Amino acid sequence: MKKEELWKGVEEYINDKIVKQESFMLDALIESSKAGLPPINVDPPEGKLMHIILKSIGAKRALEVGVLGGFSGLWIASAMKGGKLIGLEKSEKHVRVAMENIKNAGFQESVEIIEGDAILSLKKLIEDKVNPFDFILIDANKEPYLEYFLLAMKLSHSGTIIFVDNMVWGGQVISDSTENRDILGIRRLYNDLQKRNDVDATVVQTVGSKGYDGFAVIRVK
Ligand code: DHB
Ligand code: MG
């Protein structure tokens, strides 16, 4: 068996045994696929980990940079009671598919999606002096990862968890490429994290249905 098939098989086993996705999550993936969205959503074990973290910290306000079809948003929204998730998404089509998935799951009252460039939306939230968020997911285009993170820090309080997807990028993060903009974007975030002392941060490497990758978990001190 190829190792990728093994990773996928084990993930299916884990999902089936213990992740236990709500049917609306499976529906969201089916609808996203039907609408032609790329299958680059977080995998269910990662969604469930975020869900557990949100519950553990009693999160009431969450922010998501990059919504895609709303799959991660459903893991986030369903972890909060009386909470609010703001999603930032550039693609009009993704916003439409995500809102439909969120409505179908019954979370339309607690989720707002702001369509547009996330940098501008983040700056607007800062200008508007919105209350800080308890949990922030960054899972959008990789080139401006550092900018997203720096703006996310301004929307955080002590104890905020910032979760960042795709921090290993198939291992390419340590390739000697000096050209690939995604890799360079991800590395700029590592370089910033290396220097800061106002967060506790780690990256966990993962294998599974999405191949080899990893995510950062960052806690604001
Ligand atoms: C890909 C995966 C992701 O998780 C993402 O956020 C963007 C792209 C990919 O595999 O191309
Ligand atoms: Mg991702």
Side-chain angles (χ1 to χ4, degrees), residues 40 139 142 165-166:
I40 55 172
D139 187 15
K142 312 308 161 197
D165 194 34
N166 308 113

